[in-house]
Amino acid sequence: MGERKNCKTCSKTDCSAKKRREGESEEEFRERQRLAQRLCGIKRRIAVLSGKGGVGKSTVAANVAVALAAKGYSTGLLDVDIHGPSIPTLLGLENQPIYGEKEGLIPVDFEGLKVVSAGFLLRSQDEAIVWRGPMKANIIRQFVSEVLWGELDYLVVDCPPGTGDEPLSVCHTLECVDGALIVTTPQKVAAVDVMKCVNFCKTLKIPVIGVIENMSGFLCPKCNTVTYIFRSGGGRELCKQMKVPFLGVIPIDPDIAYACDVGKPFVRDFPESPATRKILEIVETIEKKLPTQKESDEQTKEACL
Ligand code: ADP
């Protein structure tokens, strides 16, 4: 896994890391090549975005990644939510040390899923990370570039919330993001956040896989019916206006809250839950839109370069 690809001997003639760009210094070119070599074995890069924190972005990212890995895809999950890394909690990996070798960081194994989280750098779960501006960009870059992912079908990236510098750094460092999942809540105020996320993707030329409305209604564990606390249908309507796919709703479900709190992915522990069905549908959409077979892979890579 520690083996680094070599641009000089690589047969990919269309790769942007083959040649020095105009105005690029030798040092910048080497750095870009180093990064490209690290990411070279990843077939599909998926960014999970949200306009603000607390909407279930990490929950969606973790469960999509677990479901992809369970389907037999070689999958990585990168949690770059540097202010509130919740992936360790969601997967029961709190206080998990992360090891490195000379070549880079070795992801933590979760039932075959390769996980790297900013949370693994904290000494304790309740410690806060206070990153200053340049450090933030640096840690993001390091995270993305210094991990020994090896060959991956999918890398699911839990991005920092919002549409500012931090998610921008993540997407720039990833170079080519094949698709974005946008997570939102049903309140009217969330609509503005979705618009910002969609525009963020448009500016960076990232195809939007779709928008997921989380915490939409409450699933009663006694009678199994969903009560809509906020007006429903807003997400679908907005997606129509913005011309991006709407992937559906996930209700507030006490089983999800429980699974998240005890560090177990609900897609594995609650196979019958409506949320699990929705995540599996999303995974099918990802398989269709971002297949990992070679021919279509080459097409997307070309489009990204
Ligand atoms: P974000 O990444 O957007 O900050 P998280 O994924 O960490 O949000 O979710 C915040 C909390 O909300 C989680 O601890 C989880 O327990 C809870 N949660 C997320 N989605 C649901 C849901 N559909 N039903 C119940 N609880 C949920």
Side-chain angles (χ1 to χ4, degrees):
M1 187 163 73
E3 184 195 340
R4 186 180 286 181
K5 306 230 174 188
N6 188 334
C7 292
K8 280 190 187 141
T9 53
C10 176
S11 59
K12 279 185 194 161
T13 49
D14 57 350
C15 177
S16 65
K18 274 267 178 201
K19 270 204 282 179
R20 203 160 133 178
R21 283 179 185 152
E22 235 181 83
E24 194 172 43
S25 72
E26 183 61 29
E27 201 185 322
E28 285 165 345
F29 175 48
R30 291 266 159 266
E31 173 64 21
R32 196 162 59 79
Q33 267 197 335
R34 221 168 79 82
L35 181 60
Q37 286 160 6
R38 281 269 190 266
L39 301 175
C40 195
I42 304 170
K43 288 189 183 149
R44 300 293 191 189
R45 300 158 202 187
I46 299 167
V48 186
L49 303 168
S50 68
K52 57 173 182 280
V55 299
K57 171 178 55 61
S58 304
T59 307
V60 168
N63 282 276
V64 163
V66 168
L68 282 167
K71 276 201 149 183
Y73 292 108
S74 170
T75 309
L77 173 62
L78 176 66
D79 172 15
V80 213
D81 192 344
I82 54 173
H83 298 293
S86 42
I87 293 295
T89 309
L90 297 175
L91 296 181
L93 299 171
E94 295 115 319
N95 305 323
Q96 170 76 40
I98 187 157
Y99 298 103
E101 51 184 52
K102 202 166 134 253
E103 290 290 306
L105 290 172
I106 302 165
V108 168
D109 177 77
F110 179 87
E111 298 172 7
L113 173 69
K114 294 178 179 180
V115 186
V116 173
S117 165
F120 296 156
L121 295 182
L122 303 175
R123 272 163 307 190
S124 68
Q125 210 194 322
D126 45 14
E127 187 183 12
I129 313 183
V130 186
W131 305 108
R132 303 207 183 278
M135 255 166 94
K136 272 194 269 185
N138 248 336
I139 191 79
I140 286 171
R141 219 180 150 66
Q142 226 176 348
F143 251 172
V144 182
S145 60
E146 295 297 330
V147 181
L148 301 173
W149 292 112
E151 300 289 320
L152 288 185
D153 291 313
Y154 293 103
L155 176 67
V156 179
V157 185
D158 184 7
C159 290
T163 48
D165 287 350
E166 295 166 25
L168 194 65
S169 286
V170 175
C171 294
H172 273 157
T173 311
L174 285 169
E175 281 239 336
C176 165
V177 179
D178 298 291
L181 289 172
I182 298 172
V183 185
T184 185
T185 48
Q187 296 93 321
K188 211 170 174 189
V189 284
V192 179
D193 295 325
V194 175
M195 284 184 199
K196 282 187 190 161
C197 282
V198 172
N199 287 331
F200 175 87
C201 291
K202 279 189 181 151
T203 310
L204 296 182
K205 298 196 170 49
I206 299 173
V208 176
I209 302 168
V211 176
I212 303 137
E213 196 178 276
N214 186 32
M215 307 192 195
S216 187
F218 172 72
L219 178 71
C220 174
K222 290 206 176 108
C223 64
N224 245 0
T225 52
V226 176
T227 308
Y228 289 95
I229 303 158
F230 298 100
R231 199 172 64 91
S232 72
R236 188 182 297 278
E237 194 48 44
L238 185 72
C239 285
K240 223 184 200 170
Q241 279 170 29
M242 301 286 294
K243 296 192 173 55
V244 291
F246 182 65
L247 297 177
V249 301
I250 298 179
I252 295 175
D253 180 344
D255 284 344
I256 298 183
Y258 165 79
C260 291
D261 282 355
V262 297
K264 294 186 171 168
F266 62 79
V267 281
R268 188 196 64 190
D269 284 33
F270 295 98
E272 299 304 323
S273 123
T276 299
R277 285 200 293 274
K278 184 47 68 191
I279 294 287
L280 296 182
E281 268 174 45
I282 293 168
V283 164
E284 277 174 23
T285 306
I286 291 172
E287 285 175 299
K288 269 192 216 128
K289 289 192 176 179
L290 304 175
T292 52
Q293 295 92 357
K294 204 148 186 352
E295 319 83 66
S296 37
D297 197 38
E298 293 304 324
Q299 280 167 16
T300 318
K301 280 249 161 74
E302 264 168 41
C304 287
L305 290 170

PDB file of all heavy atoms in Angstrom, residues 11-42:
ATOM      1  N   SER A  11       1.494   5.172 -17.650  1.00  0.00           N
ATOM      2  CA  SER A  11       1.083   5.147 -19.059  1.00  0.00           C
ATOM      3  C   SER A  11      -0.052   6.125 -19.383  1.00  0.00           C
ATOM      4  O   SER A  11      -0.448   6.276 -20.528  1.00  0.00           O
ATOM      5  CB  SER A  11       0.649   3.725 -19.418  1.00  0.00           C
ATOM      6  OG  SER A  11      -0.414   3.370 -18.566  1.00  0.00           O
ATOM      7  N   LYS A  12      -0.606   6.797 -18.359  1.00  0.00           N
ATOM      8  CA  LYS A  12      -1.724   7.723 -18.612  1.00  0.00           C
ATOM      9  C   LYS A  12      -1.205   8.992 -19.285  1.00  0.00           C
ATOM     10  O   LYS A  12      -0.651   9.882 -18.635  1.00  0.00           O
ATOM     11  CB  LYS A  12      -2.401   8.099 -17.295  1.00  0.00           C
ATOM     12  CG  LYS A  12      -3.368   7.072 -16.809  1.00  0.00           C
ATOM     13  CD  LYS A  12      -4.070   7.580 -15.581  1.00  0.00           C
ATOM     14  CE  LYS A  12      -4.780   6.441 -14.893  1.00  0.00           C
ATOM     15  NZ  LYS A  12      -5.098   6.732 -13.511  1.00  0.00           N
ATOM     16  N   THR A  13      -1.432   9.061 -20.579  1.00  0.00           N
ATOM     17  CA  THR A  13      -0.869  10.193 -21.321  1.00  0.00           C
ATOM     18  C   THR A  13      -1.660  11.480 -21.093  1.00  0.00           C
ATOM     19  O   THR A  13      -1.143  12.571 -21.285  1.00  0.00           O
ATOM     20  CB  THR A  13      -0.863   9.875 -22.831  1.00  0.00           C
ATOM     21  OG1 THR A  13      -2.164   9.403 -23.154  1.00  0.00           O
ATOM     22  CG2 THR A  13       0.208   8.857 -23.192  1.00  0.00           C
ATOM     23  N   ASP A  14      -2.943  11.319 -20.689  1.00  0.00           N
ATOM     24  CA  ASP A  14      -3.810  12.499 -20.575  1.00  0.00           C
ATOM     25  C   ASP A  14      -3.797  13.123 -19.175  1.00  0.00           C
ATOM     26  O   ASP A  14      -4.544  14.045 -18.891  1.00  0.00           O
ATOM     27  CB  ASP A  14      -5.246  12.114 -20.951  1.00  0.00           C
ATOM     28  CG  ASP A  14      -5.769  10.981 -20.088  1.00  0.00           C
ATOM     29  OD1 ASP A  14      -4.957  10.383 -19.348  1.00  0.00           O
ATOM     30  OD2 ASP A  14      -6.973  10.695 -20.163  1.00  0.00           O
ATOM     31  N   CYS A  15      -2.957  12.633 -18.281  1.00  0.00           N
ATOM     32  CA  CYS A  15      -2.976  13.122 -16.897  1.00  0.00           C
ATOM     33  C   CYS A  15      -2.367  14.524 -16.803  1.00  0.00           C
ATOM     34  O   CYS A  15      -1.323  14.807 -17.401  1.00  0.00           O
ATOM     35  CB  CYS A  15      -2.221  12.147 -15.996  1.00  0.00           C
ATOM     36  SG  CYS A  15      -2.135  12.717 -14.298  1.00  0.00           S
ATOM     37  N   SER A  16      -3.043  15.388 -16.022  1.00  0.00           N
ATOM     38  CA  SER A  16      -2.589  16.784 -15.896  1.00  0.00           C
ATOM     39  C   SER A  16      -1.256  16.886 -15.155  1.00  0.00           C
ATOM     40  O   SER A  16      -0.577  17.903 -15.235  1.00  0.00           O
ATOM     41  CB  SER A  16      -3.642  17.619 -15.169  1.00  0.00           C
ATOM     42  OG  SER A  16      -3.765  17.157 -13.851  1.00  0.00           O
ATOM     43  N   ALA A  17      -0.876  15.822 -14.426  1.00  0.00           N
ATOM     44  CA  ALA A  17       0.377  15.864 -13.654  1.00  0.00           C
ATOM     45  C   ALA A  17       1.591  15.484 -14.500  1.00  0.00           C
ATOM     46  O   ALA A  17       2.713  15.511 -14.028  1.00  0.00           O
ATOM     47  CB  ALA A  17       0.279  14.939 -12.452  1.00  0.00           C
ATOM     48  N   LYS A  18       1.358  15.132 -15.763  1.00  0.00           N
ATOM     49  CA  LYS A  18       2.473  14.739 -16.638  1.00  0.00           C
ATOM     50  C   LYS A  18       3.373  15.924 -16.965  1.00  0.00           C
ATOM     51  O   LYS A  18       4.580  15.789 -17.054  1.00  0.00           O
ATOM     52  CB  LYS A  18       1.917  14.180 -17.960  1.00  0.00           C
ATOM     53  CG  LYS A  18       1.584  12.705 -17.879  1.00  0.00           C
ATOM     54  CD  LYS A  18       2.755  11.867 -18.331  1.00  0.00           C
ATOM     55  CE  LYS A  18       2.420  10.390 -18.207  1.00  0.00           C
ATOM     56  NZ  LYS A  18       3.573   9.535 -18.141  1.00  0.00           N
ATOM     57  N   LYS A  19       2.696  17.068 -17.191  1.00  0.00           N
ATOM     58  CA  LYS A  19       3.480  18.227 -17.669  1.00  0.00           C
ATOM     59  C   LYS A  19       3.400  19.405 -16.714  1.00  0.00           C
ATOM     60  O   LYS A  19       2.377  19.605 -16.043  1.00  0.00           O
ATOM     61  CB  LYS A  19       2.922  18.673 -19.031  1.00  0.00           C
ATOM     62  CG  LYS A  19       3.600  17.956 -20.183  1.00  0.00           C
ATOM     63  CD  LYS A  19       3.510  18.769 -21.461  1.00  0.00           C
ATOM     64  CE  LYS A  19       2.208  18.688 -22.106  1.00  0.00           C
ATOM     65  NZ  LYS A  19       1.550  19.097 -23.080  1.00  0.00           N
ATOM     66  N   ARG A  20       4.437  20.180 -16.710  1.00  0.00           N
ATOM     67  CA  ARG A  20       4.459  21.391 -15.899  1.00  0.00           C
ATOM     68  C   ARG A  20       3.529  22.419 -16.546  1.00  0.00           C
ATOM     69  O   ARG A  20       3.532  22.560 -17.767  1.00  0.00           O
ATOM     70  CB  ARG A  20       5.895  21.920 -15.891  1.00  0.00           C
ATOM     71  CG  ARG A  20       6.191  22.794 -14.718  1.00  0.00           C
ATOM     72  CD  ARG A  20       7.679  22.850 -14.547  1.00  0.00           C
ATOM     73  NE  ARG A  20       8.090  24.220 -14.363  1.00  0.00           N
ATOM     74  CZ  ARG A  20       9.334  24.577 -14.142  1.00  0.00           C
ATOM     75  NH1 ARG A  20      10.279  23.675 -14.115  1.00  0.00           N
ATOM     76  NH2 ARG A  20       9.638  25.822 -13.965  1.00  0.00           N
ATOM     77  N   ARG A  21       2.726  23.093 -15.725  1.00  0.00           N
ATOM     78  CA  ARG A  21       1.823  24.105 -16.267  1.00  0.00           C
ATOM     79  C   ARG A  21       2.567  25.409 -16.481  1.00  0.00           C
ATOM     80  O   ARG A  21       3.570  25.659 -15.819  1.00  0.00           O
ATOM     81  CB  ARG A  21       0.670  24.358 -15.279  1.00  0.00           C
ATOM     82  CG  ARG A  21      -0.369  23.276 -15.298  1.00  0.00           C
ATOM     83  CD  ARG A  21      -1.464  23.582 -14.290  1.00  0.00           C
ATOM     84  NE  ARG A  21      -2.414  22.471 -14.230  1.00  0.00           N
ATOM     85  CZ  ARG A  21      -3.124  22.157 -13.171  1.00  0.00           C
ATOM     86  NH1 ARG A  21      -3.001  22.824 -12.063  1.00  0.00           N
ATOM     87  NH2 ARG A  21      -3.974  21.148 -13.206  1.00  0.00           N
ATOM     88  N   GLU A  22       1.999  26.221 -17.345  1.00  0.00           N
ATOM     89  CA  GLU A  22       2.634  27.511 -17.613  1.00  0.00           C
ATOM     90  C   GLU A  22       2.664  28.344 -16.330  1.00  0.00           C
ATOM     91  O   GLU A  22       1.650  28.410 -15.612  1.00  0.00           O
ATOM     92  CB  GLU A  22       1.808  28.248 -18.674  1.00  0.00           C
ATOM     93  CG  GLU A  22       2.650  28.655 -19.868  1.00  0.00           C
ATOM     94  CD  GLU A  22       1.804  29.400 -20.856  1.00  0.00           C
ATOM     95  OE1 GLU A  22       1.610  30.619 -20.665  1.00  0.00           O
ATOM     96  OE2 GLU A  22       1.322  28.732 -21.790  1.00  0.00           O
ATOM     97  N   GLY A  23       3.760  28.930 -16.018  1.00  0.00           N
ATOM     98  CA  GLY A  23       3.871  29.781 -14.835  1.00  0.00           C
ATOM     99  C   GLY A  23       4.077  29.015 -13.538  1.00  0.00           C
ATOM    100  O   GLY A  23       4.175  29.624 -12.479  1.00  0.00           O
ATOM    101  N   GLU A  24       4.138  27.696 -13.625  1.00  0.00           N
ATOM    102  CA  GLU A  24       4.282  26.882 -12.416  1.00  0.00           C
ATOM    103  C   GLU A  24       5.773  26.696 -12.106  1.00  0.00           C
ATOM    104  O   GLU A  24       6.546  26.370 -13.006  1.00  0.00           O
ATOM    105  CB  GLU A  24       3.637  25.511 -12.670  1.00  0.00           C
ATOM    106  CG  GLU A  24       3.398  24.681 -11.447  1.00  0.00           C
ATOM    107  CD  GLU A  24       2.574  23.436 -11.774  1.00  0.00           C
ATOM    108  OE1 GLU A  24       2.843  22.793 -12.811  1.00  0.00           O
ATOM    109  OE2 GLU A  24       1.673  23.104 -11.000  1.00  0.00           O
ATOM    110  N   SER A  25       6.149  26.894 -10.841  1.00  0.00           N
ATOM    111  CA  SER A  25       7.558  26.701 -10.480  1.00  0.00           C
ATOM    112  C   SER A  25       7.840  25.200 -10.400  1.00  0.00           C
ATOM    113  O   SER A  25       6.911  24.391 -10.276  1.00  0.00           O
ATOM    114  CB  SER A  25       7.868  27.355  -9.138  1.00  0.00           C
ATOM    115  OG  SER A  25       7.261  26.604  -8.106  1.00  0.00           O
ATOM    116  N   GLU A  26       9.109  24.847 -10.416  1.00  0.00           N
ATOM    117  CA  GLU A  26       9.506  23.443 -10.335  1.00  0.00           C
ATOM    118  C   GLU A  26       8.951  22.828  -9.039  1.00  0.00           C
ATOM    119  O   GLU A  26       8.424  21.715  -9.023  1.00  0.00           O
ATOM    120  CB  GLU A  26      11.053  23.368 -10.382  1.00  0.00           C
ATOM    121  CG  GLU A  26      11.645  21.963 -10.382  1.00  0.00           C
ATOM    122  CD  GLU A  26      11.232  21.116 -11.584  1.00  0.00           C
ATOM    123  OE1 GLU A  26      10.972  21.687 -12.660  1.00  0.00           O
ATOM    124  OE2 GLU A  26      11.141  19.869 -11.422  1.00  0.00           O
ATOM    125  N   GLU A  27       9.041  23.622  -7.967  1.00  0.00           N
ATOM    126  CA  GLU A  27       8.590  23.131  -6.659  1.00  0.00           C
ATOM    127  C   GLU A  27       7.070  22.879  -6.658  1.00  0.00           C
ATOM    128  O   GLU A  27       6.578  21.865  -6.177  1.00  0.00           O
ATOM    129  CB  GLU A  27       8.955  24.169  -5.601  1.00  0.00           C
ATOM    130  CG  GLU A  27       9.009  23.594  -4.198  1.00  0.00           C
ATOM    131  CD  GLU A  27       9.254  24.679  -3.165  1.00  0.00           C
ATOM    132  OE1 GLU A  27      10.047  25.605  -3.471  1.00  0.00           O
ATOM    133  OE2 GLU A  27       8.644  24.612  -2.118  1.00  0.00           O
ATOM    134  N   GLU A  28       6.341  23.842  -7.241  1.00  0.00           N
ATOM    135  CA  GLU A  28       4.878  23.696  -7.313  1.00  0.00           C
ATOM    136  C   GLU A  28       4.497  22.476  -8.152  1.00  0.00           C
ATOM    137  O   GLU A  28       3.567  21.732  -7.829  1.00  0.00           O
ATOM    138  CB  GLU A  28       4.250  24.957  -7.931  1.00  0.00           C
ATOM    139  CG  GLU A  28       4.209  26.134  -6.990  1.00  0.00           C
ATOM    140  CD  GLU A  28       3.932  27.463  -7.692  1.00  0.00           C
ATOM    141  OE1 GLU A  28       4.039  27.536  -8.956  1.00  0.00           O
ATOM    142  OE2 GLU A  28       3.632  28.407  -6.983  1.00  0.00           O
ATOM    143  N   PHE A  29       5.239  22.286  -9.247  1.00  0.00           N
ATOM    144  CA  PHE A  29       4.976  21.158 -10.135  1.00  0.00           C
ATOM    145  C   PHE A  29       5.217  19.829  -9.410  1.00  0.00           C
ATOM    146  O   PHE A  29       4.395  18.918  -9.465  1.00  0.00           O
ATOM    147  CB  PHE A  29       5.868  21.259 -11.376  1.00  0.00           C
ATOM    148  CG  PHE A  29       5.763  20.090 -12.314  1.00  0.00           C
ATOM    149  CD1 PHE A  29       4.521  19.595 -12.718  1.00  0.00           C
ATOM    150  CD2 PHE A  29       6.908  19.464 -12.793  1.00  0.00           C
ATOM    151  CE1 PHE A  29       4.423  18.513 -13.584  1.00  0.00           C
ATOM    152  CE2 PHE A  29       6.815  18.380 -13.655  1.00  0.00           C
ATOM    153  CZ  PHE A  29       5.576  17.905 -14.042  1.00  0.00           C
ATOM    154  N   ARG A  30       6.325  19.735  -8.651  1.00  0.00           N
ATOM    155  CA  ARG A  30       6.653  18.509  -7.892  1.00  0.00           C
ATOM    156  C   ARG A  30       5.553  18.219  -6.874  1.00  0.00           C
ATOM    157  O   ARG A  30       5.114  17.100  -6.697  1.00  0.00           O
ATOM    158  CB  ARG A  30       7.986  18.675  -7.141  1.00  0.00           C
ATOM    159  CG  ARG A  30       9.184  18.738  -8.022  1.00  0.00           C
ATOM    160  CD  ARG A  30       9.854  17.355  -8.231  1.00  0.00           C
ATOM    161  NE  ARG A  30      10.654  17.369  -9.437  1.00  0.00           N
ATOM    162  CZ  ARG A  30      10.233  16.971 -10.636  1.00  0.00           C
ATOM    163  NH1 ARG A  30       9.025  16.485 -10.799  1.00  0.00           N
ATOM    164  NH2 ARG A  30      11.012  17.041 -11.689  1.00  0.00           N
ATOM    165  N   GLU A  31       5.094  19.290  -6.203  1.00  0.00           N
ATOM    166  CA  GLU A  31       4.052  19.155  -5.174  1.00  0.00           C
ATOM    167  C   GLU A  31       2.744  18.634  -5.808  1.00  0.00           C
ATOM    168  O   GLU A  31       2.083  17.754  -5.285  1.00  0.00           O
ATOM    169  CB  GLU A  31       3.848  20.532  -4.507  1.00  0.00           C
ATOM    170  CG  GLU A  31       2.706  20.640  -3.528  1.00  0.00           C
ATOM    171  CD  GLU A  31       2.856  19.762  -2.299  1.00  0.00           C
ATOM    172  OE1 GLU A  31       3.994  19.377  -1.994  1.00  0.00           O
ATOM    173  OE2 GLU A  31       1.813  19.441  -1.692  1.00  0.00           O
ATOM    174  N   ARG A  32       2.446  19.184  -6.988  1.00  0.00           N
ATOM    175  CA  ARG A  32       1.221  18.765  -7.683  1.00  0.00           C
ATOM    176  C   ARG A  32       1.340  17.317  -8.133  1.00  0.00           C
ATOM    177  O   ARG A  32       0.394  16.535  -8.050  1.00  0.00           O
ATOM    178  CB  ARG A  32       0.972  19.708  -8.882  1.00  0.00           C
ATOM    179  CG  ARG A  32      -0.434  19.633  -9.446  1.00  0.00           C
ATOM    180  CD  ARG A  32      -0.740  20.837 -10.295  1.00  0.00           C
ATOM    181  NE  ARG A  32       0.176  20.999 -11.406  1.00  0.00           N
ATOM    182  CZ  ARG A  32       0.094  20.304 -12.539  1.00  0.00           C
ATOM    183  NH1 ARG A  32      -0.853  19.416 -12.690  1.00  0.00           N
ATOM    184  NH2 ARG A  32       0.965  20.513 -13.511  1.00  0.00           N
ATOM    185  N   GLN A  33       2.525  16.941  -8.567  1.00  0.00           N
ATOM    186  CA  GLN A  33       2.740  15.554  -9.002  1.00  0.00           C
ATOM    187  C   GLN A  33       2.612  14.594  -7.824  1.00  0.00           C
ATOM    188  O   GLN A  33       2.014  13.536  -7.923  1.00  0.00           O
ATOM    189  CB  GLN A  33       4.142  15.409  -9.596  1.00  0.00           C
ATOM    190  CG  GLN A  33       4.168  15.606 -11.086  1.00  0.00           C
ATOM    191  CD  GLN A  33       5.440  15.072 -11.720  1.00  0.00           C
ATOM    192  OE1 GLN A  33       6.475  14.969 -11.080  1.00  0.00           O
ATOM    193  NE2 GLN A  33       5.353  14.740 -12.987  1.00  0.00           N
ATOM    194  N   ARG A  34       3.152  15.017  -6.675  1.00  0.00           N
ATOM    195  CA  ARG A  34       3.105  14.195  -5.471  1.00  0.00           C
ATOM    196  C   ARG A  34       1.647  13.912  -5.093  1.00  0.00           C
ATOM    197  O   ARG A  34       1.264  12.797  -4.807  1.00  0.00           O
ATOM    198  CB  ARG A  34       3.784  14.960  -4.334  1.00  0.00           C
ATOM    199  CG  ARG A  34       4.662  14.133  -3.434  1.00  0.00           C
ATOM    200  CD  ARG A  34       5.467  15.086  -2.579  1.00  0.00           C
ATOM    201  NE  ARG A  34       4.676  15.589  -1.477  1.00  0.00           N
ATOM    202  CZ  ARG A  34       4.480  14.922  -0.339  1.00  0.00           C
ATOM    203  NH1 ARG A  34       5.011  13.739  -0.177  1.00  0.00           N
ATOM    204  NH2 ARG A  34       3.755  15.430   0.624  1.00  0.00           N
ATOM    205  N   LEU A  35       0.855  14.977  -5.150  1.00  0.00           N
ATOM    206  CA  LEU A  35      -0.559  14.867  -4.820  1.00  0.00           C
ATOM    207  C   LEU A  35      -1.277  13.959  -5.827  1.00  0.00           C
ATOM    208  O   LEU A  35      -2.057  13.083  -5.459  1.00  0.00           O
ATOM    209  CB  LEU A  35      -1.180  16.265  -4.812  1.00  0.00           C
ATOM    210  CG  LEU A  35      -2.645  16.368  -4.473  1.00  0.00           C
ATOM    211  CD1 LEU A  35      -2.917  15.834  -3.086  1.00  0.00           C
ATOM    212  CD2 LEU A  35      -3.096  17.809  -4.549  1.00  0.00           C
ATOM    213  N   ALA A  36      -0.981  14.174  -7.102  1.00  0.00           N
ATOM    214  CA  ALA A  36      -1.625  13.378  -8.155  1.00  0.00           C
ATOM    215  C   ALA A  36      -1.287  11.898  -7.980  1.00  0.00           C
ATOM    216  O   ALA A  36      -2.141  11.036  -8.159  1.00  0.00           O
ATOM    217  CB  ALA A  36      -1.165  13.871  -9.523  1.00  0.00           C
ATOM    218  N   GLN A  37      -0.050  11.606  -7.584  1.00  0.00           N
ATOM    219  CA  GLN A  37       0.360  10.212  -7.391  1.00  0.00           C
ATOM    220  C   GLN A  37      -0.423   9.562  -6.263  1.00  0.00           C
ATOM    221  O   GLN A  37      -0.811   8.413  -6.317  1.00  0.00           O
ATOM    222  CB  GLN A  37       1.862  10.147  -7.081  1.00  0.00           C
ATOM    223  CG  GLN A  37       2.720  10.393  -8.300  1.00  0.00           C
ATOM    224  CD  GLN A  37       4.134  10.806  -7.936  1.00  0.00           C
ATOM    225  OE1 GLN A  37       4.527  10.819  -6.786  1.00  0.00           O
ATOM    226  NE2 GLN A  37       4.907  11.155  -8.936  1.00  0.00           N
ATOM    227  N   ARG A  38      -0.651  10.329  -5.210  1.00  0.00           N
ATOM    228  CA  ARG A  38      -1.417   9.822  -4.065  1.00  0.00           C
ATOM    229  C   ARG A  38      -2.863   9.492  -4.458  1.00  0.00           C
ATOM    230  O   ARG A  38      -3.450   8.540  -4.000  1.00  0.00           O
ATOM    231  CB  ARG A  38      -1.493  10.905  -2.993  1.00  0.00           C
ATOM    232  CG  ARG A  38      -0.284  11.025  -2.181  1.00  0.00           C
ATOM    233  CD  ARG A  38      -0.422  10.120  -0.961  1.00  0.00           C
ATOM    234  NE  ARG A  38       0.640  10.385  -0.039  1.00  0.00           N
ATOM    235  CZ  ARG A  38       1.772   9.709  -0.023  1.00  0.00           C
ATOM    236  NH1 ARG A  38       1.957   8.719  -0.837  1.00  0.00           N
ATOM    237  NH2 ARG A  38       2.713  10.007   0.838  1.00  0.00           N
ATOM    238  N   LEU A  39      -3.440  10.394  -5.284  1.00  0.00           N
ATOM    239  CA  LEU A  39      -4.859  10.264  -5.610  1.00  0.00           C
ATOM    240  C   LEU A  39      -5.099   9.407  -6.849  1.00  0.00           C
ATOM    241  O   LEU A  39      -6.239   9.123  -7.205  1.00  0.00           O
ATOM    242  CB  LEU A  39      -5.479  11.655  -5.820  1.00  0.00           C
ATOM    243  CG  LEU A  39      -5.381  12.612  -4.621  1.00  0.00           C
ATOM    244  CD1 LEU A  39      -5.911  13.984  -4.999  1.00  0.00           C
ATOM    245  CD2 LEU A  39      -6.155  12.077  -3.434  1.00  0.00           C
ATOM    246  N   CYS A  40      -4.014   9.016  -7.474  1.00  0.00           N
ATOM    247  CA  CYS A  40      -4.082   8.328  -8.758  1.00  0.00           C
ATOM    248  C   CYS A  40      -4.883   7.019  -8.709  1.00  0.00           C
ATOM    249  O   CYS A  40      -5.570   6.667  -9.653  1.00  0.00           O
ATOM    250  CB  CYS A  40      -2.642   8.045  -9.183  1.00  0.00           C
ATOM    251  SG  CYS A  40      -2.476   7.596 -10.873  1.00  0.00           S
ATOM    252  N   GLY A  41      -4.806   6.326  -7.571  1.00  0.00           N
ATOM    253  CA  GLY A  41      -5.482   5.028  -7.475  1.00  0.00           C
ATOM    254  C   GLY A  41      -6.962   5.134  -7.118  1.00  0.00           C
ATOM    255  O   GLY A  41      -7.636   4.123  -6.963  1.00  0.00           O
ATOM    256  N   ILE A  42      -7.472   6.372  -6.970  1.00  0.00           N
ATOM    257  CA  ILE A  42      -8.890   6.538  -6.595  1.00  0.00           C
ATOM    258  C   ILE A  42      -9.722   6.752  -7.852  1.00  0.00           C
ATOM    259  O   ILE A  42      -9.509   7.720  -8.586  1.00  0.00           O
ATOM    260  CB  ILE A  42      -9.074   7.740  -5.639  1.00  0.00           C
ATOM    261  CG1 ILE A  42      -8.185   7.584  -4.402  1.00  0.00           C
ATOM    262  CG2 ILE A  42     -10.537   7.890  -5.235  1.00  0.00           C
ATOM    263  CD1 ILE A  42      -8.113   8.834  -3.528  1.00  0.00           C
TER     264      ILE A  42
END
